[in-house]
Amino acid sequence: METTVPTREPDRLLAVLAPFRPLEVVVETCPFWPWLYDLLVPAGIGFHLAHAKALRAIATAPQKSDAVDARLLARMLLSGLIPEAYPRSADQRELLRLLRHRTALVRFRTRLAGRIHSQLHQQRLSLPREKLLRRATRAWLEATAWPRLTVEQRAIVTTHVELIDHLTPLIRALERRIAAAAAGDATAPLLATIPGIGPYRSLLLAAELVPISRFPRAEHLVSYAGLAPVTRSSGGHTHHGSIPPAANRWVRGALVSAIPSHVRYAPTSPVTVAYEQLKARLGWRVARVAAARKLARVVYVMLTRRTPWHGVPAAGDVRDEVQNSHVAPTTSFC
């Protein structure tokens, strides 16, 4: 039986599916999968979220239509070939909206600051990027930069400074909400024991990685975060390439951006030691990604064992996870 149900008629969709219970459905990752999940799962219908980028069979099909895709998805589900993504609950999605709202505003503010820097550079004026957002810098802009800027450059700088001043309190309000949510989360306080990881990063990692049981080994988490180089083997030769673009960019961004702070606050940790060694040999960019990869393995051990950064691992044998993280079973993480 094939039929089409408009998205504005959810009750009709449940009525159409009622005669086929028990039932399993497959939905590709797309903007509207959350409302289908919230509609079908409470009704006792099994829900499978298929990773759209991994559905190569559909992407390369000679004929493309919704009906063809639906039949092919059904066959793939029957054969156990669906590349499943993890469907997050409504509460998890709401938490991620809060975190990504803050990220969007911060990126917008950074772009505004970059445009101000562009105008300053055109007049041979230089200012460290982190100082531009400080109130004390306004006096420098007025006394030193202003006389050397053209009329239009002054208008650009004035507009962008006003937008930054409007965004900053909005971002601070979001950060207060994030700090409160992190304090009440079951996992974020554990991750916040890692030097360089505060409320935002700890809550983001908790929201993206829990439940950690989705990852059988630390390498699976590293791959999920896109921190494992692409490996190609042929004819007995193995080549390690660049970092893959298709991954959870939120987890990767949180781990990579945490490295500078971690190095500053934990100068003797294994992650910092690895970073400094690779930095001297390969440069800071490669070293930062490699250190983030090592930090991801440590995060896996912490979440699996529910052990804080400075804690001693709890009783029990998880040698596989510990060995994959290069942490001795009786050694603290720092």
Side-chain angles (χ1 to χ4, degrees):
M1 173 183 174
E2 293 187 9
T3 186
T4 301
V5 180
T7 57
R8 62 181 179 274
E9 300 178 14
D11 293 337
R12 182 186 166 196
L13 176 60
L14 290 177
V16 169
L17 298 178
F20 302 98
R21 307 293 184 86
L23 180 65
E24 302 285 322
V25 302
V26 184
V27 179
E28 289 186 62
T29 49
C30 58
F32 59 79
W33 77 260
W35 75 261
L36 282 170
Y37 178 88
D38 295 338
L39 175 71
L40 300 178
V41 171
I45 298 175
F47 188 92
H48 299 269
L49 184 62
H51 200 299
K53 290 185 178 180
L55 290 171
R56 295 185 179 272
I58 289 180
T60 57
Q63 297 179 342
K64 283 286 292 179
S65 69
D66 291 341
V68 171
D69 289 354
R71 287 193 293 270
L72 186 52
L73 281 172
R75 295 192 189 102
M76 293 177 69
L77 177 63
L78 185 63
S79 303
L81 299 176
I82 294 293
E84 299 210 22
Y86 176 68
R88 292 182 175 85
S89 66
D91 291 340
Q92 289 175 312
R93 297 197 302 269
E94 191 71 357
L95 187 59
L96 290 173
R97 291 186 188 104
L98 170 64
L99 293 165
R100 290 170 185 177
H101 185 195
R102 182 261 186 193
T103 301
L105 293 186
V106 169
R107 287 177 178 173
F108 185 35
R109 185 176 64 178
T110 301
R111 286 197 293 269
L112 293 172
R115 289 211 64 195
I116 294 176
H117 275 288
S118 175
Q119 303 307 315
L120 297 177
H121 291 166
Q122 292 176 32
Q123 298 298 339
R124 292 180 289 110
L125 294 166
S126 180
L127 182 71
R129 187 174 297 275
E130 67 275 6
K131 290 186 177 181
L132 184 61
L133 299 178
R134 299 176 184 173
R135 285 284 181 180
T137 305
R138 304 299 170 83
W140 179 88
L141 283 173
E142 294 178 4
T144 303
W146 207 254
R148 296 173 59 173
L149 297 176
T150 67
V151 173
E152 290 303 323
Q153 285 177 327
R154 292 175 183 176
I156 292 173
V157 171
T158 300
T159 302
H160 286 46
V161 167
E162 290 177 355
L163 289 172
I164 288 172
D165 288 343
H166 182 69
L167 283 174
T168 299
L170 299 177
I171 293 172
R172 288 175 180 167
L174 287 174
E175 289 174 342
R176 288 192 294 269
R177 291 178 57 195
I178 289 172
D185 188 80
T187 302
L190 181 69
L191 296 175
T193 62
I194 302 174
I197 292 185
Y200 169 75
R201 292 191 184 111
S202 64
L203 190 60
L204 175 62
L205 290 173
E208 293 285 355
L209 298 180
V210 172
I212 195 64
S213 57
R214 291 184 289 147
F215 308 101
R217 300 176 63 189
E219 278 72 14
H220 291 85
L221 190 151
V222 171
S223 178
Y224 176 76
L227 293 171
V230 175
T231 300
R232 296 182 177 88
S233 298
S234 179
H237 298 281
T238 300
H239 172 71
H240 299 286
S242 60
I243 296 298
N248 189 317
R249 66 184 187 278
W250 300 99
V251 175
R252 177 168 56 190
L255 292 172
V256 172
S257 62
I259 296 302
S261 298
H262 180 86
V263 170
R264 184 165 62 251
Y265 293 120
T268 60
S269 80
V271 175
T272 299
V273 171
Y275 171 78
E276 296 294 351
Q277 291 174 346
L278 287 171
K279 178 183 176 183
R281 199 159 48 90
L282 301 174
W284 68 267
R285 288 184 176 85
V286 174
R288 186 179 294 186
V289 174
R293 183 161 57 244
K294 189 176 184 68
L295 183 58
R297 294 191 178 101
V298 174
V299 166
Y300 179 84
V301 175
M302 291 175 62
L303 293 180
T304 302
R305 301 178 67 91
R306 304 299 298 177
T307 307
W309 175 262
H310 287 287
V312 177
D317 188 4
V318 287
R319 282 195 196 91
D320 186 52
E321 293 86 352
V322 174
Q323 289 172 357
N324 286 326
S325 298
H326 306 290
V327 180
T330 58
T331 303
S332 67
F333 291 123
C334 176

